[in-house]
Amino acid sequence: MTVFEILKFNRELLDRLRLMGVRLDDTRYIDLFSEFCDMVNSGDKVSYAVAVLADRYRVSERKVYSLLRHFRTDCNHDAL
């Protein structure tokens, strides 16, 4: 299957996700966000969790904070 065929097959879903503020690149960081939630829920400080995850996922701490803010935002329901 080609990239074009996959995009064409999933066009409606991808368009809805894009309109709601989801970026395709977000899938790379699903585990990071889940691990962050687990760490904070188990009592770790936010700054410690951010530092550990930045190192583990080889991104900057600023990127982790940006991802956390992005993943916590409400979807744009007007796009539906």
Side-chain angles (χ1 to χ4, degrees), residues 1-16:
M1 185 175 269
T2 66
V3 171
F4 173 76
E5 291 169 331
I6 292 171
L7 289 172
K8 186 175 177 184
F9 181 76
N10 293 295
R11 179 188 335 194
E12 184 179 341
L13 172 63
L14 293 170
D15 280 341
R16 284 181 185 262

Side-chain angles (χ1 to χ4, degrees), residues 16-79:
R16 284 181 185 262
L17 290 171
R18 182 182 49 79
L19 290 171
M20 293 181 76
V22 177
R23 299 179 300 237
L24 187 57
D25 198 44
D26 290 344
T27 59
R28 297 170 118 187
Y29 303 108
I30 292 171
D31 292 335
L32 181 150
F33 187 75
S34 294
E35 288 181 45
F36 172 81
C37 293
D38 292 343
M39 291 176 76
V40 170
N41 289 337
S42 70
D44 290 325
K45 302 277 186 188
V46 170
S47 57
Y48 172 75
V50 167
V52 168
L53 294 171
D55 185 54
R56 186 176 298 159
Y57 286 87
R58 295 183 177 97
V59 295
S60 68
E61 290 183 19
R62 186 74 250 145
K63 175 71 172 177
V64 175
Y65 281 114
S66 175
L67 288 166
L68 297 176
R69 186 173 45 257
H70 176 62
F71 277 27
R72 288 177 174 158
T73 59
D74 289 333
C75 290
N76 181 2
H77 296 289
D78 296 334

